[in-house]
Amino acid sequence: ARHLFTDPAEIEALRGNLLAWYDRCKRDLPWRTLAATELDADRRAYAVWVSEIMLQQTQQVATVIDYYNRWMQKWPTLQALAQASLEEVNELWAGLGYYSRGKRLQEAARKVVSELAGQMPRTAEDLQKLLPGVGRYTAGAIASISYGQATGVVDGNVIRVLCRLRCIGADSSSPAVIDRLWDMANALVDGSRPGDFNQALMELGATVCVPKAPLCGECPVKQHCRARRRVEKELAFASQKLLGKAAPVLDVEDCGVGGCPLCPPATEPWDSSLGVTNFPRKAAKKQPRVVQMATCVLERRGCHGAPEYLIVQRPNSGLLAGFWEFPSIPLAQGLQEKQREVLADHLQAWTGQPMAAGGLRFIGEVVHIFSHIHQTYVVYSLPLDGDVTLDPALSPSRWVTEEEFHASAVSTAMKKV
Ligand code: SF4
């Protein structure tokens, strides 16, 4: 019970303090302005949806604002997005990361238009069930902010705030802890202003209860925070000791020895030097997969004398679906020694003419970390003297100038190359 909110008066006070702070201090973000002024609930939902999916890619709100504004300018409604091509979506999404999310957003828009008569589902349950790419968090955010459903949300910011408020030190990525946090978020959400309450909790995590140096002194819910209370008790205890007064027993409100599924594990107890940042805790991350690719920047003189580069399109499913790249091939174990030959064979398949492996000039290596893959591109260049006719029977490929390359749907990794 120590980790839960059980006192209705405390819950009421926490809601009031948090909402009053949010009304005073919330950041002015474009999707909030639209959500507040736009009369059509479905258009509001669309705006919230786009912003939430983009915000999941990065904590850099300034980056998201730029992408969001360009997206909404191009596709102001679900109906407009449903008519876009994957190519256009990828072009706009390029650089934001987690590329499949833009694609799924567009697939979901098509589904709403073609299968749901243009009507967005209006509850978190239906949103999650019916729309591809909409998980529990996004569904809760859309339903509470746009349709006023009293349902909570749990994202990284909310996890941090709740774990600190209630001294939850068990692995915050474990299903058992996540389930309890969802229960807590659903119990705390304010029935009359659910969207504002959820945004306030996330805003608190983003601007005050931040990961490394939280601003506890300015926190609107500090009187409800058990992590902070523990820090204060330790400080009081230490100063009593310093003054030589009879030190009271340090009452830290621990659940007791062992057995609590939400307390820090016995092997990693509370560390006084960390203060409130003892929480949340995460199990060590799984090591990303290591992949090596050989890639070639094939160059020719274009008709106006400017250099042009060959880019080819990836398949429409899998990593970076539909994105364009310099011809690249994974280097399996044992092929590292023969990478020039492997790459030359691969280029021959694209260009339809033999490529001399010896002509490939090694340029350097580029490392790019995708969410779960540690990828190294071994980069070669090959200038061509004559022209090359691309085989239209193969997957799409084209020659582009440097300017056209940057305007194409290419990933950040390829821009680095
Ligand atoms: Fe976070 Fe500090 Fe506020 Fe507690 S008091 S919720 S640790 S900012």
PDB file of all heavy atoms in Angstrom, residues 161 164-165 204 208-209 214-216 219 221-222 225 227-228 276, ligand 1:
ATOM      1  N   VAL A 161       7.912  10.041 -13.050  1.00  0.00           N
ATOM      2  CA  VAL A 161       7.223  10.808 -12.005  1.00  0.00           C
ATOM      3  C   VAL A 161       6.563   9.866 -10.995  1.00  0.00           C
ATOM      4  O   VAL A 161       6.735  10.018  -9.777  1.00  0.00           O
ATOM      5  CB  VAL A 161       6.163  11.751 -12.637  1.00  0.00           C
ATOM      6  CG1 VAL A 161       5.343  12.430 -11.549  1.00  0.00           C
ATOM      7  CG2 VAL A 161       6.837  12.793 -13.516  1.00  0.00           C
ATOM      8  N   ARG A 164       8.956   8.008  -8.697  1.00  0.00           N
ATOM      9  CA  ARG A 164       9.509   8.869  -7.649  1.00  0.00           C
ATOM     10  C   ARG A 164       8.446   9.205  -6.606  1.00  0.00           C
ATOM     11  O   ARG A 164       8.728   9.195  -5.404  1.00  0.00           O
ATOM     12  CB  ARG A 164      10.100  10.136  -8.276  1.00  0.00           C
ATOM     13  CG  ARG A 164      11.383   9.834  -9.019  1.00  0.00           C
ATOM     14  CD  ARG A 164      11.938  11.043  -9.748  1.00  0.00           C
ATOM     15  NE  ARG A 164      13.173  10.683 -10.439  1.00  0.00           N
ATOM     16  CZ  ARG A 164      13.784  11.466 -11.331  1.00  0.00           C
ATOM     17  NH1 ARG A 164      13.272  12.662 -11.623  1.00  0.00           N
ATOM     18  NH2 ARG A 164      14.901  11.070 -11.900  1.00  0.00           N
ATOM     19  N   LEU A 165       7.255   9.532  -7.079  1.00  0.00           N
ATOM     20  CA  LEU A 165       6.190   9.889  -6.127  1.00  0.00           C
ATOM     21  C   LEU A 165       5.957   8.768  -5.128  1.00  0.00           C
ATOM     22  O   LEU A 165       5.646   9.005  -3.964  1.00  0.00           O
ATOM     23  CB  LEU A 165       4.876  10.171  -6.867  1.00  0.00           C
ATOM     24  CG  LEU A 165       4.745  11.513  -7.583  1.00  0.00           C
ATOM     25  CD1 LEU A 165       3.435  11.567  -8.363  1.00  0.00           C
ATOM     26  CD2 LEU A 165       4.814  12.673  -6.597  1.00  0.00           C
ATOM     27  N   LEU A 204       5.222  17.589 -16.490  1.00  0.00           N
ATOM     28  CA  LEU A 204       6.017  17.624 -15.263  1.00  0.00           C
ATOM     29  C   LEU A 204       7.292  16.794 -15.432  1.00  0.00           C
ATOM     30  O   LEU A 204       8.382  17.218 -15.041  1.00  0.00           O
ATOM     31  CB  LEU A 204       5.178  17.071 -14.096  1.00  0.00           C
ATOM     32  CG  LEU A 204       5.818  17.224 -12.714  1.00  0.00           C
ATOM     33  CD1 LEU A 204       5.794  18.679 -12.260  1.00  0.00           C
ATOM     34  CD2 LEU A 204       5.102  16.354 -11.671  1.00  0.00           C
ATOM     35  N   VAL A 208      10.245  19.358 -15.186  1.00  0.00           N
ATOM     36  CA  VAL A 208      10.595  19.522 -13.759  1.00  0.00           C
ATOM     37  C   VAL A 208      11.195  18.243 -13.180  1.00  0.00           C
ATOM     38  O   VAL A 208      12.317  18.231 -12.680  1.00  0.00           O
ATOM     39  CB  VAL A 208       9.349  19.952 -12.928  1.00  0.00           C
ATOM     40  CG1 VAL A 208       9.696  20.030 -11.441  1.00  0.00           C
ATOM     41  CG2 VAL A 208       8.817  21.287 -13.422  1.00  0.00           C
ATOM     42  N   CYS A 209      10.460  17.171 -13.310  1.00  0.00           N
ATOM     43  CA  CYS A 209      10.940  15.895 -12.753  1.00  0.00           C
ATOM     44  C   CYS A 209      11.780  15.191 -13.816  1.00  0.00           C
ATOM     45  O   CYS A 209      11.469  14.091 -14.264  1.00  0.00           O
ATOM     46  CB  CYS A 209       9.736  15.037 -12.327  1.00  0.00           C
ATOM     47  SG  CYS A 209      10.210  13.658 -11.289  1.00  0.00           S
ATOM     48  N   PRO A 214      16.388  16.736 -11.190  1.00  0.00           N
ATOM     49  CA  PRO A 214      15.008  17.234 -11.061  1.00  0.00           C
ATOM     50  C   PRO A 214      14.933  18.482 -10.186  1.00  0.00           C
ATOM     51  O   PRO A 214      15.725  18.651  -9.260  1.00  0.00           O
ATOM     52  CB  PRO A 214      14.272  16.063 -10.404  1.00  0.00           C
ATOM     53  CG  PRO A 214      15.324  15.192  -9.831  1.00  0.00           C
ATOM     54  CD  PRO A 214      16.561  15.395 -10.643  1.00  0.00           C
ATOM     55  N   LEU A 215      13.974  19.370 -10.528  1.00  0.00           N
ATOM     56  CA  LEU A 215      13.842  20.647  -9.815  1.00  0.00           C
ATOM     57  C   LEU A 215      12.800  20.486  -8.705  1.00  0.00           C
ATOM     58  O   LEU A 215      11.710  21.058  -8.761  1.00  0.00           O
ATOM     59  CB  LEU A 215      13.406  21.731 -10.813  1.00  0.00           C
ATOM     60  CG  LEU A 215      14.249  21.804 -12.089  1.00  0.00           C
ATOM     61  CD1 LEU A 215      13.594  22.712 -13.126  1.00  0.00           C
ATOM     62  CD2 LEU A 215      15.654  22.299 -11.757  1.00  0.00           C
ATOM     63  N   CYS A 216      13.147  19.691  -7.696  1.00  0.00           N
ATOM     64  CA  CYS A 216      12.158  19.351  -6.658  1.00  0.00           C
ATOM     65  C   CYS A 216      11.622  20.592  -5.950  1.00  0.00           C
ATOM     66  O   CYS A 216      10.449  20.633  -5.573  1.00  0.00           O
ATOM     67  CB  CYS A 216      12.758  18.388  -5.652  1.00  0.00           C
ATOM     68  SG  CYS A 216      13.218  16.820  -6.397  1.00  0.00           S
ATOM     69  N   CYS A 219       8.610  21.896  -7.669  1.00  0.00           N
ATOM     70  CA  CYS A 219       7.648  20.880  -8.103  1.00  0.00           C
ATOM     71  C   CYS A 219       6.279  21.095  -7.453  1.00  0.00           C
ATOM     72  O   CYS A 219       6.175  21.210  -6.233  1.00  0.00           O
ATOM     73  CB  CYS A 219       8.188  19.501  -7.753  1.00  0.00           C
ATOM     74  SG  CYS A 219       7.037  18.192  -8.153  1.00  0.00           S
ATOM     75  N   VAL A 221       3.953  19.024  -6.993  1.00  0.00           N
ATOM     76  CA  VAL A 221       3.414  17.885  -6.225  1.00  0.00           C
ATOM     77  C   VAL A 221       4.436  17.372  -5.206  1.00  0.00           C
ATOM     78  O   VAL A 221       4.363  16.228  -4.771  1.00  0.00           O
ATOM     79  CB  VAL A 221       2.960  16.740  -7.179  1.00  0.00           C
ATOM     80  CG1 VAL A 221       1.780  17.189  -8.021  1.00  0.00           C
ATOM     81  CG2 VAL A 221       4.092  16.250  -8.058  1.00  0.00           C
ATOM     82  N   LYS A 222       5.349  18.252  -4.813  1.00  0.00           N
ATOM     83  CA  LYS A 222       6.417  17.770  -3.928  1.00  0.00           C
ATOM     84  C   LYS A 222       5.891  17.262  -2.588  1.00  0.00           C
ATOM     85  O   LYS A 222       6.458  16.358  -1.998  1.00  0.00           O
ATOM     86  CB  LYS A 222       7.493  18.833  -3.730  1.00  0.00           C
ATOM     87  CG  LYS A 222       7.043  20.152  -3.173  1.00  0.00           C
ATOM     88  CD  LYS A 222       8.268  21.054  -3.002  1.00  0.00           C
ATOM     89  CE  LYS A 222       7.887  22.408  -2.482  1.00  0.00           C
ATOM     90  NZ  LYS A 222       7.761  23.423  -3.543  1.00  0.00           N
ATOM     91  N   CYS A 225       5.363  13.571  -2.660  1.00  0.00           N
ATOM     92  CA  CYS A 225       6.452  12.772  -3.221  1.00  0.00           C
ATOM     93  C   CYS A 225       7.215  12.035  -2.122  1.00  0.00           C
ATOM     94  O   CYS A 225       7.885  12.641  -1.288  1.00  0.00           O
ATOM     95  CB  CYS A 225       7.402  13.669  -4.016  1.00  0.00           C
ATOM     96  SG  CYS A 225       8.753  12.747  -4.767  1.00  0.00           S
ATOM     97  N   ALA A 227       9.801   9.958  -2.532  1.00  0.00           N
ATOM     98  CA  ALA A 227      11.249   9.964  -2.736  1.00  0.00           C
ATOM     99  C   ALA A 227      11.841  11.227  -2.106  1.00  0.00           C
ATOM    100  O   ALA A 227      12.857  11.187  -1.404  1.00  0.00           O
ATOM    101  CB  ALA A 227      11.577   9.903  -4.220  1.00  0.00           C
ATOM    102  N   ARG A 228      11.165  12.352  -2.340  1.00  0.00           N
ATOM    103  CA  ARG A 228      11.662  13.603  -1.763  1.00  0.00           C
ATOM    104  C   ARG A 228      11.572  13.552  -0.240  1.00  0.00           C
ATOM    105  O   ARG A 228      12.467  14.016   0.454  1.00  0.00           O
ATOM    106  CB  ARG A 228      10.845  14.779  -2.304  1.00  0.00           C
ATOM    107  CG  ARG A 228      11.306  16.112  -1.747  1.00  0.00           C
ATOM    108  CD  ARG A 228      10.624  17.241  -2.464  1.00  0.00           C
ATOM    109  NE  ARG A 228      10.633  18.461  -1.688  1.00  0.00           N
ATOM    110  CZ  ARG A 228      11.607  19.351  -1.687  1.00  0.00           C
ATOM    111  NH1 ARG A 228      12.684  19.124  -2.400  1.00  0.00           N
ATOM    112  NH2 ARG A 228      11.522  20.445  -0.967  1.00  0.00           N
ATOM    113  N   VAL A 276      16.559  11.513  -5.077  1.00  0.00           N
ATOM    114  CA  VAL A 276      15.326  11.053  -5.750  1.00  0.00           C
ATOM    115  C   VAL A 276      15.617  10.309  -7.052  1.00  0.00           C
ATOM    116  O   VAL A 276      14.766   9.569  -7.550  1.00  0.00           O
ATOM    117  CB  VAL A 276      14.353  12.225  -6.030  1.00  0.00           C
ATOM    118  CG1 VAL A 276      13.896  12.889  -4.748  1.00  0.00           C
ATOM    119  CG2 VAL A 276      14.969  13.240  -6.980  1.00  0.00           C
TER     120      VAL A 276
HETATM  121 FE1  SF4 B   1       9.950  14.581  -9.093  1.00  0.00          FE
HETATM  122 FE2  SF4 B   1      11.148  15.980  -7.158  1.00  0.00          FE
HETATM  123 FE3  SF4 B   1       8.602  16.449  -7.822  1.00  0.00          FE
HETATM  124 FE4  SF4 B   1       9.264  14.245  -6.559  1.00  0.00          FE
HETATM  125  S1  SF4 B   1       9.455  16.322  -5.785  1.00  0.00           S
HETATM  126  S2  SF4 B   1       7.876  14.402  -8.291  1.00  0.00           S
HETATM  127  S3  SF4 B   1      11.233  13.781  -7.455  1.00  0.00           S
HETATM  128  S4  SF4 B   1      10.421  16.783  -9.117  1.00  0.00           S
END
